Amino acid sequence: MIKSGILLFLCLFSLQFVQAQQEFTYDNQVYSPYIKTVQLYNTQKEQSIPELTLGSSEKLSFSFDDLRGGSKNYWYTVEHCTYDWKSSGLSVLDYLDGMNEDRIIDYAYSSKTLQKFTHYTLTFPNDQIKPRISGNYLLKVYEDGDPKKAVCSQRFYIVDQQVNIKSEVTPSNEVSLRTSNQKINITVVHPNPIQNPYQDVKLVLMQNGNPLTAKLNAKPTYVKPGSLIYNELDGNDFKGSNEFRKFDFRSLRYKAEHVQDLFTDSTNNILLFTDVNGSAVRYTQQIDENGAFFIRNQDNRDNDTDSDYGRVQFTLNVAAPGTNGDIYVVGRFNNYTLTDENKLTYNTSKKRFYTNLFLKQGLYDYQYVWKDKTTGNVDTTVLEGSFFETENNYQAFVYYRRPGSRWDELIGYSLFSTIQH
């Protein structure tokens, strides 16, 4: 009887622990090991930043796979957030037209694949849920209509373009960093007066859509009539990093770019060629997709339901950058998040770092990052190198909180590339 009571207590404790772990965070996250290949982008361009213009006909495409197969009862809602990704604390009535939640009813079963899965899709804004104000938003997906059963969450942006953003890319002002860093200068041109720009306006810059690179400008450097200038001597200095590594496993029948071997046992296995330290002396130009990935297959017809999954083995031959830290493999495919799943482990006999990721057929960009356990700092260039010549995309977001307002509007967005300057 005592043993039964202990077991019951442990089961309840475990259940509570799992549920606690599934509370939503205001970030791009996957909360279930069965959920794979989460995608969210503007339908005008695959894998674009998930932003759209307020009141326009633009749509966002959202999708994911459930490896359990069958059909599940998935629901979703969206929540308005502050410029720094916290809850705005607004009533749903303040920021949504229509309902505050709805079911995801579009799904399709996998076909001709070794790994069975169900592919779920959602396009919004739609007749059920439509944001009515600009700003940062979090899409939240949960099971059985219960927000405590978190499945995944994705950030997106609704823009009410009220300003014009002019950008300039120059070498770093610091002489020692001129060959490795890209300095971004921004001018925000606003036709309407802004009473207190030093307090009410925020500028956020991001490289290649990677939240790990985001830089907040809380105040402009200069304020001129009709414009705000952000060009501090040491401000917005980004490491140029390097072009992304990439591999191609659109086919499970032949070995494509950077694939050393393919074989199938209980699952599909893809062994990539061993990667080495990317910190070369000189920059080498190569075409990449700035961290994006594209689900494709050359074996069947439908990319969404006919693309199979495989266990992809990454191998890295480097010396650890420090004595107390971890190496992760990241890209848009995992939202650049650092988890146990994409952390590399060191094999002392082979003197290599390894990890295996369960990925869907397609084209993938990726890079290795180092996280120092002592400081918590993430270095995206110690294993990749950093060059001013690297082609990068940058995103600029301008937020404005009007005097007396309760939320941050997103009044400007700009996407620009270093090769356009």
Side-chain angles (χ1 to χ4, degrees):
M1 189 71 181
I2 294 176
K3 287 184 179 180
S4 300
I6 293 174
L7 286 173
L8 179 60
F9 171 80
L10 289 174
C11 289
L12 291 172
F13 179 82
S14 299
L15 182 60
Q16 289 174 351
F17 179 76
V18 169
Q19 289 180 335
Q21 290 295 94
Q22 291 181 327
E23 293 293 328
F24 281 104
T25 61
Y26 292 88
D27 204 348
N28 298 319
Q29 289 285 348
V30 176
Y31 306 94
S32 167
Y34 304 108
I35 303 302
K36 299 290 182 183
T37 320
V38 179
Q39 301 182 76
L40 179 62
Y41 53 81
N42 189 306
T43 56
Q44 294 179 349
K45 184 180 180 182
E46 186 179 0
Q47 290 304 325
S48 57
I49 296 298
E51 61 82 26
L52 53 80
T53 302
L54 182 68
S56 71
S57 60
E58 295 175 23
K59 301 289 185 181
L60 294 178
S61 174
F62 172 68
S63 63
F64 63 89
D65 293 340
D66 185 339
L67 301 189
R68 292 175 294 181
S71 60
K72 299 293 185 292
N73 185 19
Y74 287 127
W75 290 70
Y76 73 98
T77 188
V78 298
E79 181 177 357
H80 193 276
C81 300
T82 59
Y83 74 89
D84 56 352
W85 294 105
K86 298 173 184 175
S87 175
S88 294
L90 299 175
S91 163
V92 174
L93 298 175
D94 290 327
Y95 61 85
L96 284 184
D97 282 333
M99 300 184 293
N100 63 353
E101 64 177 354
D102 193 29
R103 281 188 64 184
I104 299 177
I105 58 175
D106 292 330
Y107 60 89
Y109 299 123
S110 59
S111 174
K112 312 181 190 75
T113 59
L114 184 61
Q115 170 64 53
K116 301 303 179 184
F117 61 88
T118 305
H119 180 72
Y120 292 83
T121 57
L122 171 69
T123 302
F124 69 98
N126 50 46
D127 292 339
Q128 282 70 41
I129 293 182
K130 185 181 297 183
R132 60 189 300 180
I133 61 176
S134 67
N136 289 347
Y137 282 84
L138 190 74
L139 169 67
K140 299 190 284 190
V141 179
Y142 42 94
E143 200 168 349
D144 298 329
D146 184 356
K148 290 183 179 180
K149 295 183 178 181
V151 174
C152 65
S153 55
Q154 291 284 291
R155 295 175 173 182
F156 68 96
Y157 309 87
I158 304 292
V159 186
D160 183 5
Q161 197 78 31
Q162 301 175 29
V163 299
N164 184 31
I165 301 172
K166 297 180 179 179
S167 56
E168 177 189 32
V169 181
T170 67
S172 173
N173 287 322
E174 178 117 12
V175 176
S176 63
L177 300 176
R178 294 206 134 202
T179 60
S180 64
N181 285 28
Q182 298 169 343
K183 186 181 186 314
I184 311 299
N185 296 322
I186 296 290
T187 300
V188 177
V189 181
H190 57 93
N192 301 315
I194 295 177
Q195 293 182 13
N196 189 354
Y198 288 108
Q199 181 176 333
D200 298 338
V201 177
K202 303 287 187 294
L203 168 69
V204 174
L205 290 175
M206 195 160 53
Q207 185 187 76
N208 298 324
N210 181 355
L212 295 175
T213 67
K215 292 183 184 292
L216 169 65
N217 292 251
K219 298 178 181 179
T221 315
Y222 304 105
V223 175
K224 294 184 177 181
S227 65
L228 310 176
I229 299 170
Y230 299 83
N231 65 355
E232 278 189 62
L233 286 176
D234 58 350
N236 298 324
D237 213 342
F238 288 82
K239 293 179 179 180
S241 192
N242 207 342
E243 306 297 351
F244 280 81
R245 306 172 194 256
K246 57 185 177 178
F247 67 92
D248 175 353
F249 87 115
R250 287 175 291 176
S251 176
L252 293 166
R253 298 173 182 171
Y254 66 87
K255 293 177 281 189
E257 183 177 12
H258 204 54
V259 174
Q260 183 178 14
D261 198 10
L262 294 165
F263 66 92
T264 301
D265 43 32
S266 59
T267 187
N268 300 305
N269 296 274
I270 300 91
L271 273 61
L272 303 183
F273 280 102
T274 299
D275 290 313
V276 296
N277 198 320
S279 298
V281 177
R282 294 183 179 180
Y283 168 74
T284 302
Q285 186 176 16
Q286 69 173 18
I287 303 299
D288 68 358
E289 297 292 340
N290 290 322
F293 72 106
F294 299 89
I295 299 304
R296 298 284 190 275
N297 82 76
Q298 296 175 332
D299 303 329
N300 295 300
R301 289 187 175 183
D302 190 281
N303 290 322
D304 293 330
T305 57
D306 295 352
S307 296
D308 210 341
Y309 276 82
R311 195 153 296 283
V312 180
Q313 179 175 289
F314 296 81
T315 306
L316 180 61
N317 181 14
V318 297
T323 57
N324 190 30
D326 292 307
I327 298 173
Y328 298 83
V329 57
V330 298
R332 185 80 182 271
F333 68 91
N334 62 5
N335 291 307
Y336 299 95
T337 53
L338 309 183
T339 66
D340 287 341
E341 183 183 13
N342 61 315
K343 181 169 66 176
L344 278 70
T345 56
Y346 186 68
N347 186 311
T348 53
S349 63
K350 296 183 179 179
K351 297 183 179 179
R352 300 282 192 277
F353 286 91
Y354 294 93
T355 194
N356 290 280
L357 296 179
F358 204 51
L359 301 175
K360 198 173 184 178
Q361 277 182 274
L363 299 153
Y364 287 79
D365 276 11
Y366 67 100
Q367 64 181 188
Y368 295 105
V369 302
W370 169 261
K371 182 177 181 180
D372 189 299
K373 288 183 179 178
T374 304
T375 63
N377 293 336
V378 178
D379 193 327
T380 60
T381 62
V382 67
L383 297 166
E384 299 293 351
S386 187
F387 304 94
F388 172 76
E389 298 91 340
T390 303
E391 187 275 318
N392 288 307
N393 286 335
Y394 285 91
Q395 295 79 32
F397 303 88
V398 180
Y399 300 92
Y400 178 43
R401 178 166 292 207
R402 299 178 187 276
S405 176
R406 294 179 293 125
W407 68 86
D408 300 318
E409 299 177 50
L410 181 51
I411 62 170
Y413 169 74
S414 177
L415 169 67
F416 56 95
S417 170
T418 55
I419 61 175
Q420 296 171 351
H421 296 78

